[in-house]
Amino acid sequence: MSTFAARREMADTPDMDMSDHSDVPLIVDLDGTLTKSDTMHEALLLFIAKHPVKLPQIATWLLSGKAEFKDRLASEMVVDAASVPLRDEVLDLIGTARADGRKVLLVSASNQRQVSRIAEQLNLFDEAVGSDAARNLSGTQKADWLVDRFGEKGFDYVGDSRADLDVWPRARKAITVGSNASIRQHVDDMGLDATHLTGDDADSTLGRARHYVKAMRPHQWLKNLLVFVPALAAHDMAMLLPSFFAFCAFCLAASSIYLINDMLDLHVDRQHPRKRNRPFAAGTIPVSHGVVHSGALFLTAMVIALILSASFAAVLLGYVALTFAYSLVLKRKLMVDIWTLGALYTIRIIAGGAASGIPLSEWLLAFSMFVFLSLAAVKRISELTDLRARNLTSTDGRGYRVSDLPVVLGAMLASGYCSIVILALYVSNSNVASLYSEPKLLWLVCMLLLYWINRVAIVSYRGEMDDDPIVFALRDRVSLLVFACCGAIFVASALL
């Protein structure tokens, strides 16, 4: 159990005295209080991730009322304590209360099955009470139950949300955890004996803003620069402006899907040494906020797309649909996931053509298909080498085994080499002279890309590759030098 100290903001008392009334029980809420996340939301996402075809069934559950919905969901899926991020400051609080001989109860609006599972696994509570099919133990219902059980002012209550504003006034001591400034002010205005615990910067407005931006993965927006390729390849600088708006739309749409993907991959990411630090996996952003955030990004992207052109909007919608299918189903399919990732790169170029109205060259599409298939395979190679280093044999949520590594590496190299062959054929084509005054210089690009693809293969096989080749390329000096040289060669070939 970790024990880092929480910062404490005292409302009416100079310190928290937990030993003055050892007969007063400590009541701890579950969602957002003991855990940084909401167990019902996480169970729902896990259920959807495992059974996407049952989405219509979930819709029928919602019609039965909140308590019945929680009960039906818990009958299908509950999350384990080991798979959700816990608040260290609350664990410290529980440890202090138990050391003082006080009873500690876990009382939550989550379903009884879920509450019992968490309590049994942590072994920190004298009793665990939750909602059932007929009763949603939240707000006034929770307050009434606690008063009936322990009497008015007969318990200390630890909570985090607005629903707890009905409980705190009836407790001897109000303890808020990770609550926003508005809730803390409400508690203080009630004149309660209150203590406010804030665990980390994720509970502050600025801290949350940083995590929301991080969840959007802005570093991945560089992939969307591919929408500029048609205008640049055609040497049509007038089309850079519509390409820029297409870039903005793709960034928003891609971030929308990243949020959905991260929410569906919560439990897989938490087992990964680096992905577990993503905002949703770490519990720094509630998954309920992620749904709203994702929807807002998608709607904004579609508004921009429709303003540009109906054809671009159709391509963007197709991109979102394919990405969503990838998040729900396709990423678990052997090799289909790699093909899908490669196709998503190529769709960005197609979208750039739709936004600018520039017809796409067959050479460009063929080169894109193979080079992006190669890059997509790099992602799987890095994951498999990571599993190999951790002495694991298979992926969780993917269709691969570590023994598949040589095959995936072969697919990566074969696709990369095919892209170089296509580029070489393009350079030797007589029509290229209409765009480049010195097309023979472009052979140097073939050589540089061939070197880069082989180097990436070796680096990824060694386990030194980042989870995403784009992130690797941004941090790798050799990659940056290769790309800079390629760009300079293209410019020189056109101008000399």
Side-chain angles (χ1 to χ4, degrees):
M1 182 187 303
S2 73
T3 56
F4 73 66
R7 289 189 295 113
R8 298 179 176 181
E9 297 177 1
M10 311 307 297
D12 297 322
T13 57
D15 196 7
M16 288 186 63
D17 186 357
M18 291 298 186
S19 59
D20 54 347
H21 288 280
S22 60
D23 59 332
V24 176
L26 179 67
I27 312 300
V28 180
D29 182 39
L30 175 59
D31 300 314
T33 301
L34 176 63
T35 66
K36 293 182 179 180
S37 57
D38 188 301
T39 54
M40 185 198 75
H41 294 155
E42 296 215 0
L44 178 60
L45 288 170
L46 184 59
F47 182 71
I48 294 173
K50 290 182 177 293
H51 310 287
V53 296
K54 293 187 177 182
L55 275 170
Q57 181 179 339
I58 295 173
T60 62
W61 293 351
L62 289 169
L63 301 176
S64 303
K66 197 167 186 178
E68 179 72 18
F69 171 78
K70 291 180 182 179
D71 189 67
R72 291 191 179 188
L73 176 62
S75 68
E76 296 281 351
M77 188 73 63
V78 293
V79 297
D80 294 329
S83 67
V84 292
L86 304 176
R87 288 191 181 272
D88 296 305
E89 59 272 32
V90 176
L91 294 176
D92 291 344
L93 198 62
I94 293 170
T96 300
R98 288 172 63 86
D100 291 338
R102 301 175 64 190
K103 285 188 175 182
V104 182
L105 282 76
L106 183 63
V107 182
S108 171
S110 287
N111 185 264
Q112 182 67 56
R113 296 183 186 89
Q114 179 64 77
V115 179
S116 297
R117 172 71 66 88
I118 297 291
E120 288 169 4
Q121 292 175 335
L122 292 179
N123 195 28
L124 294 174
F125 302 97
D126 297 287
E127 190 176 343
V129 182
S131 300
D132 54 33
R135 176 188 64 182
N136 184 35
L137 199 62
S138 178
T140 56
Q141 290 196 50
K142 181 187 286 189
D144 292 341
W145 186 89
L146 290 170
V147 171
D148 289 343
R149 177 74 180 273
F150 303 108
E152 199 80 33
K153 304 294 183 181
F155 57 92
D156 293 345
Y157 182 73
V158 190
D160 71 290
S161 68
R162 291 195 174 275
D164 297 318
L165 290 173
D166 294 317
V167 184
W168 281 313
R170 308 185 74 175
R172 181 186 72 104
K173 182 184 288 291
I175 305 168
T176 72
V177 181
S179 302
N180 59 43
S182 175
I183 292 176
R184 295 198 300 268
Q185 187 61 51
H186 271 85
V187 172
D188 292 342
D189 291 343
M190 293 176 183
L192 304 175
D193 180 6
T195 299
H196 304 301
L197 301 181
T198 56
D200 51 44
D201 74 328
D203 296 322
S204 67
T205 301
L206 182 59
R208 281 187 182 274
R210 284 199 297 265
H211 289 295
Y212 279 113
V213 172
K214 181 180 179 181
M216 292 171 64
R217 301 195 211 174
H219 62 278
Q220 299 282 8
W221 292 349
L222 285 175
K223 299 176 184 178
N224 301 321
L225 290 173
L226 291 170
V227 300
F228 288 98
V229 169
L232 293 175
H235 298 184
D236 190 347
M237 299 302 105
M239 290 296 104
L240 290 180
L241 183 59
S243 297
F244 171 75
F245 287 110
F247 169 79
C248 294
F250 252 87
C251 289
L252 296 174
S255 290
S256 172
I257 299 300
Y258 290 145
L259 295 177
I260 297 295
N261 192 51
D262 284 354
M263 288 187 287
L264 292 175
D265 273 352
L266 275 178
H267 299 280
V268 176
D269 286 351
R270 285 172 182 159
Q271 299 172 28
H272 193 277
R274 292 178 295 277
K275 292 181 181 180
R276 65 186 180 189
N277 295 319
R278 288 177 174 175
F280 293 115
T284 51
I285 298 179
V287 293
S288 58
H289 291 192
V291 174
V292 176
H293 194 189
S294 176
L297 290 172
F298 171 71
L299 289 176
T300 306
M302 289 308 300
V303 168
I304 296 174
L306 289 170
I307 292 174
L308 277 175
S309 71
S311 59
F312 173 74
V315 174
L316 181 61
L317 196 59
Y319 166 84
V320 171
L322 183 58
T323 310
F324 194 62
Y326 172 82
S327 298
L328 285 177
V329 178
L330 300 181
K331 68 182 178 183
R332 297 177 181 82
K333 304 300 181 181
L334 185 68
M335 295 307 294
V336 174
D337 62 329
I338 293 178
W339 179 91
T340 304
L341 288 174
L344 291 172
Y345 282 107
T346 304
I347 287 175
R348 290 173 167 91
I349 294 179
I350 296 173
S356 60
I358 297 174
L360 297 180
S361 161
E362 293 179 356
W363 293 107
L364 177 60
L365 290 176
F367 173 80
S368 302
M369 179 178 67
F370 283 106
V371 75
F372 295 138
L373 189 64
S374 179
L375 290 178
V378 170
K379 287 176 65 69
R380 293 296 167 260
I381 294 171
S382 65
E383 291 175 359
L384 291 173
T385 53
D386 179 74
L387 290 172
R388 182 180 61 185
R390 291 188 281 153
N391 295 318
L392 299 176
T393 59
S394 61
T395 56
D396 186 3
R398 297 287 191 268
Y400 297 90
R401 302 170 186 168
V402 172
S403 58
D404 299 329
L405 185 55
V407 178
V408 180
L409 178 62
M412 178 263 170
L413 287 170
S415 299
Y417 294 159
C418 284
S419 68
I420 301 302
V421 170
I422 291 170
L423 181 58
L425 291 173
Y426 169 73
V427 170
S428 61
N429 189 285
S430 58
N431 292 331
V432 76
S434 63
L435 293 173
Y436 299 94
S437 56
E438 292 292 338
K440 292 182 179 180
L441 286 176
L442 297 179
W443 283 102
L444 295 175
V445 175
C446 296
M447 296 172 59
L448 287 171
L449 290 182
L450 186 60
Y451 160 76
W452 185 76
I453 287 172
N454 282 301
R455 182 173 182 274
V456 167
I458 293 174
V459 171
S460 59
Y461 188 76
R462 288 177 177 175
E464 299 171 0
M465 172 68 67
D466 195 282
D467 297 312
D468 192 304
I470 300 297
V471 176
F472 167 80
L474 289 175
R475 297 174 178 173
D476 180 55
R477 293 181 179 179
V478 175
S479 297
L480 292 174
L481 179 60
V482 168
F483 298 149
C485 290
C486 288
I489 291 170
F490 272 107
V491 172
S493 179
L495 298 180
L496 291 179

